């Protein structure tokens, strides 16, 4: 193997969020926060060293090459043709989402999300003083799907002005199919609801699934959609802080840009520019091998928890997050979390933090060496 994803890296250093000790214990296996226990590809190290050696950190903005690399990435990965002038760069996807909510809705308007979902979705809506509307995803033959009748009944009331969509979906691992998205898009167009499509997990898709950018469905949909992308999840660069929004509609883009400026923010930093260019230019081989490695972890996990046992899991179609179903144990989320954390020592995210439909589930981040995952599975099984 050309890249070493088996290496155990010591992340037990001050300030590392994922590896923070819990009650003084530093032997807990942390499979929670969504970053990876892998080094970023070497092209990032080289790009950052070059920038550090140059040592000029004066004001800088992304250049033409930056824009064309971002556009090329969308074209090569998802066959989506976008233009450089459609881009807005921000320090993060949630910053982009928040700016979009401010631009597309007014205080008091409704924003719809599908739960269970990444917890900051609900928070960003509430912190912006918008009304939170939730449509619960439901399990259909072991696979989460949207309840379109519920979506239509909520949208038809007229309060909801924007939909915050997660594609692929964290935590349930769905890679939405074209027909599902078209059905959702038709409802958004019918009731004049704008779409904020968070596609930060788009590069993590397993065989038999395909990520389709929501805005690529049609020109009408593109005109109503803000797409939030980033190289940070894909290449494990969360603390470098960079994201690229794609907005083809001029007036929507200007409105979002105005909200970004309203925060006082002007440009991403020089290290973020260097890292983003490096991975989109030279990171594809690393990513391909990473996906193969993660696919093997996904196999290890699904074989460890067959669907007829007490702890169930359905193989995620995308993301490196698994959604474990502990409901048959009939214990509260709190008890379950404590049972895993304090005795065997494995830290997962409690399902209820993703919304009430997540109760009885836990989210497991499997972006770690095979040996770490195998040890975590052993520890999880001891609670049975
Ligand atoms: C769906 C989703 N959106 C956004 C983020 C965070 O992105 P950022 O750190 O760029 O704000 C995450 C991180 O886990 C995520 O899962």
């Amino acid at each position: 193997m050309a890249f070493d994803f088996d290496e155990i890296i010591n992340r037990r250093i001050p300030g590392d969020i994922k590896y923070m000790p819990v009650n003084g214990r530093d032997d807990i296996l942390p499979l929670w926060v969504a970053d990876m226990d892998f080094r970023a590809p070497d092209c990032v190290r080289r790009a950052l060293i070059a920038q550090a050696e140059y040592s000029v950190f004066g004001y800088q903005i992304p250049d033409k090459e930056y824009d064309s690399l971002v556009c090329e990435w969308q074209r090569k990965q998802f066959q989506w043709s976008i233009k450089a002038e459609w881009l807005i760069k921000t320090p993060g996807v949630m910053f982009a989402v928040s700016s979009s909510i401010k631009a597309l809705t007014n205080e008091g308007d409704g924003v719809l999300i599908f739960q269970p979902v990444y917890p900051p979705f609900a928070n960003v809506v509430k912190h912006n003083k918008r009304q939170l509307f939730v449509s619960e995803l439901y399990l259909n033959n072991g696979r989460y799907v949207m309840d379109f009748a519920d979506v239509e009944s909520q949208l038809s009331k007229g309060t909801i002005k924007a939909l915050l969509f997660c594609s692929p979906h964290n935590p349930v691992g769905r890679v939405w199919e074209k027909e599902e998205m078209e059905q959702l898009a038709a409802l958004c167009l019918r009731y004049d609801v704008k779409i904020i499509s968070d596609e930060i997990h788009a590069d993590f898709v397993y065989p038999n699934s395909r990520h389709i950018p929501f805005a690529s469905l049609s020109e009408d949909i593109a005109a109503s959609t803000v797409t939030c992308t980033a190289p940070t999840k894909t290449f494990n660069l969360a603390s470098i802080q960079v994201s690229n929004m794609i907005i083809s509609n001029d007036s929507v883009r200007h409105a979002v840009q105005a909200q970004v400026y309203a925060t006082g923010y002007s440009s991403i930093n020089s290290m973020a520019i260097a890292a983003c260019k490096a991975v989109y230019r030279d990171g594809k081989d690393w990513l391909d091998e990473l996906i193969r490695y993660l696919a093997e972890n996904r196999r290890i996990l699904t074989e460890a928890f067959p669907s007829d046992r007490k702890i169930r899991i359905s193989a995620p179609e995308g993301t490196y997050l698994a959604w474990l179903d502990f409901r048959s144990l009939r214990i509260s989320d709190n008890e379950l979390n404590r049972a895993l954390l304090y005795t065997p020592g494995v830290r997962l995210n409690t399902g209820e933090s993703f919304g009430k439909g997540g109760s009885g589930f836990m989210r497991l981040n499997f972006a770690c060496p095979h040996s770490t995952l195998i040890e975590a599975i052993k520890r999880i099984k001891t609670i049975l």
Side-chain angles (χ1 to χ4, degrees):
M1 179 150 64
F3 307 100
D4 186 8
F5 296 112
D6 287 327
E7 182 191 1
I8 305 289
I9 300 167
N10 178 19
R11 289 187 58 176
R12 296 191 194 275
I13 56 162
D16 188 308
I17 294 180
K18 193 177 186 181
Y19 277 82
M20 257 176 340
V22 183
N23 289 347
R25 266 183 71 177
D26 62 2
D27 61 336
I28 286 169
L29 275 187
L31 278 67
W32 64 303
V33 171
D35 66 26
M36 305 193 273
D37 285 349
F38 307 127
R39 284 183 211 285
D42 202 53
C43 57
V44 174
R45 189 183 61 81
R46 289 195 306 268
L48 296 187
I49 285 177
Q51 182 67 35
E53 279 178 349
Y54 174 52
S55 274
V56 176
F57 299 102
Y59 288 113
Q60 200 183 328
I61 51 168
D63 60 1
K64 280 209 171 109
E65 192 197 2
Y66 178 101
D67 289 348
S68 72
L69 284 163
V70 172
C71 294
E72 266 299 277
W73 188 261
Q74 290 296 321
R75 193 184 62 73
K76 284 199 188 137
Q77 290 286 93
F78 315 117
Q79 297 73 53
W80 187 28
S81 168
I82 60 166
K83 294 188 179 152
E85 57 267 29
W86 296 354
L87 302 178
I88 297 178
K89 297 97 188 181
T90 77
V93 164
M94 289 316 295
F95 183 102
V97 166
S98 182
S99 304
S100 306
I101 290 174
K102 289 195 183 85
L104 301 174
T105 65
N106 295 311
E107 269 189 37
D109 284 348
V111 178
L112 181 70
I113 63 174
F114 291 102
Q115 280 185 335
V117 77
Y118 181 55
F121 272 31
N123 296 334
V124 76
V125 172
K126 291 189 237 164
H127 287 147
N128 277 303
K129 301 192 175 62
R130 271 60 173 173
Q131 288 185 61
L132 180 69
F133 288 83
V134 173
S135 185
E136 295 288 336
L137 298 174
Y138 68 96
L139 273 167
N140 184 13
N141 291 327
R143 195 170 182 239
Y144 279 90
V145 291
M146 294 179 264
D147 179 345
F148 291 111
D150 176 57
V151 173
E152 172 142 33
S153 117
Q154 297 206 49
L155 297 191
S156 64
K157 299 198 172 81
T159 312
I160 294 170
K161 303 293 178 202
L163 163 73
L164 177 49
F165 191 53
C166 192
S167 176
H169 193 98
N170 167 10
V172 304
R174 278 299 318 277
V175 174
W176 303 109
E177 286 175 9
K178 188 159 187 253
E179 293 68 30
E180 296 176 289
M181 290 196 290
E182 279 174 345
Q183 209 171 333
L184 181 63
L187 292 174
C188 290
L189 290 180
R190 186 172 316 149
Y191 296 104
D192 195 19
V193 168
K194 297 279 189 290
I195 302 106
I196 304 165
S197 187
D198 176 342
E199 304 189 2
I200 195 170
H201 293 277
D203 293 309
F204 298 100
V205 170
Y206 301 104
N208 302 327
S209 297
R210 185 164 83 87
H211 171 74
I212 302 169
F214 199 83
S216 72
L217 289 176
S218 74
E219 287 204 1
D220 283 349
I221 274 298
S224 285
T225 303
V226 166
T227 306
C228 302
T229 75
T232 47
K233 197 67 59 187
T234 310
F235 294 101
N236 213 24
L237 308 173
S239 62
I240 298 265
Q241 300 196 336
V242 47
S243 107
N244 300 296
M245 305 175 82
I246 303 164
I247 311 173
S248 62
N249 179 320
D250 293 343
S251 62
V252 172
R253 189 173 60 258
H254 295 153
V256 173
Q257 183 68 74
Q259 289 301 334
V260 173
Y261 287 147
T263 65
Y265 189 79
S266 59
S267 175
I268 53 174
N269 73 76
S270 51
M271 292 307 220
I273 294 171
C276 181
K277 283 167 74 168
V279 291
Y280 281 167
R281 191 196 301 111
D282 299 321
K284 179 69 174 140
D285 291 349
W286 180 91
L287 176 61
D288 288 345
E289 197 142 326
L290 171 71
I291 299 294
R292 282 192 285 275
Y293 196 90
L294 292 175
E296 176 60 10
N297 270 357
R298 176 174 166 266
R299 185 195 65 75
I300 292 170
L301 255 180
T302 42
E303 284 181 8
F305 298 112
S307 59
D308 58 337
R309 304 290 159 79
K310 290 206 159 138
I311 305 171
R312 295 178 181 189
I313 173 186
S314 47
E317 297 160 351
T319 79
Y320 50 69
L321 306 164
W323 190 233
L324 268 59
D325 182 351
F326 290 90
R327 286 175 301 173
S328 73
L329 301 187
R330 296 178 195 288
I331 56 174
S332 75
D333 285 53
N334 212 357
E335 276 176 291
L336 179 58
N337 191 36
R338 292 172 66 88
L340 288 165
L341 194 57
Y342 295 116
T343 314
V346 53
R347 185 168 189 187
L348 310 180
N349 293 88
T350 58
E352 65 182 2
S353 62
F354 297 84
K356 66 177 180 351
S359 188
F361 291 82
M362 297 286 263
R363 191 190 74 174
L364 180 151
N365 170 350
F366 59 87
C368 59
H370 297 326
S371 60
T372 307
L373 181 65
I374 289 164
E375 172 61 21
I377 291 169
K378 205 169 85 194
R379 293 189 189 191
I380 292 169
K381 284 188 171 174
T382 63
I383 71 153
L384 292 173

